[in-house]
Amino acid sequence: MRELRREIEIDAPPERVWAVVTDFAAYPDWNPFIRRISGELREDARLEVRIEPPGARATTFKPTVRAVQPNRELRWLGRLLLPGVFDGEHSLRIEPLEEGRSRFVQSERFTGVLVGLVGGMLAKTEAGFEQMNAALKTRVEQTAAQS
């Protein structure tokens, strides 16, 4: 098992962060890591997600939504081939902070027999988390300033 986790504080309430995180149509405009998401935002729905980690090939996969908690969490599970080969449970969490601020936590827990063989890819994925978190902060704070 291997877990990646990156977090960032955003000067906006959870509702504004959630609005940007769940506006999949706008991802190509601001998100350098998850370039596209399509599908329904409901548990057990299948999404189509295209990621472009820095320095790595773009990948499109079709995870299953595991949790949708408005203003709190979006979580999905993606698999390579069969369960137990290479599974990744991705979470986008929003935690309320004092003074109308939020903490955005992006994490992924990888399990399966191939996890030990893909360390380089996971490092690039982690860099993608960093890029996305910074871009999300900018996008949300700019949107909040314009309101």
Side-chain angles (χ1 to χ4, degrees):
M1 200 255 321
R2 171 109 188 258
E3 186 165 1
L4 306 179
R5 176 187 163 106
R6 288 290 179 261
E7 62 184 62
I8 194 164
E9 290 188 9
I10 299 175
D11 291 326
E15 298 78 19
R16 289 191 195 241
V17 179
W18 180 256
V20 173
V21 166
T22 58
D23 183 5
F24 298 155
Y27 271 38
D29 298 336
W30 67 269
N31 195 328
F33 175 59
I34 301 177
R35 298 297 297 153
R36 186 179 72 242
I37 297 181
S38 59
E40 284 188 69
L41 193 59
R42 64 172 175 77
E43 287 184 27
D44 298 321
R46 291 290 295 252
L47 300 176
E48 184 169 298
V49 179
R50 180 171 179 83
I51 62 169
E52 295 182 11
R57 284 190 7 219
T59 304
T60 300
F61 56 100
K62 296 181 179 180
T64 301
V65 176
R66 291 293 192 217
V68 178
Q69 297 175 352
N71 305 320
R72 299 290 292 180
E73 181 183 36
L74 171 59
R75 185 168 24 96
W76 65 69
L77 176 65
R79 291 198 155 116
L80 178 64
L81 302 173
L82 302 168
V85 176
F86 185 76
D87 300 339
E89 187 171 60
H90 197 101
S91 175
L92 306 173
R93 274 196 348 269
I94 304 163
E95 300 170 356
L97 299 175
E98 293 177 359
E99 300 175 13
R101 300 173 64 246
S102 303
R103 176 179 296 114
F104 177 74
V105 181
Q106 183 170 195
S107 63
E108 190 151 6
R109 188 170 42 93
F110 297 96
T111 57
V113 295
L114 294 182
V115 170
L117 304 175
V118 293
M121 190 261 319
L122 295 183
K124 292 173 182 174
T125 298
E126 199 163 37
F129 284 14
E130 290 279 351
Q131 288 181 348
M132 177 179 160
N133 289 9
L136 176 66
K137 177 180 173 68
T138 298
R139 178 82 170 192
V140 171
E141 290 177 357
Q142 284 177 346
T143 303
Q146 295 169 359
S147 298

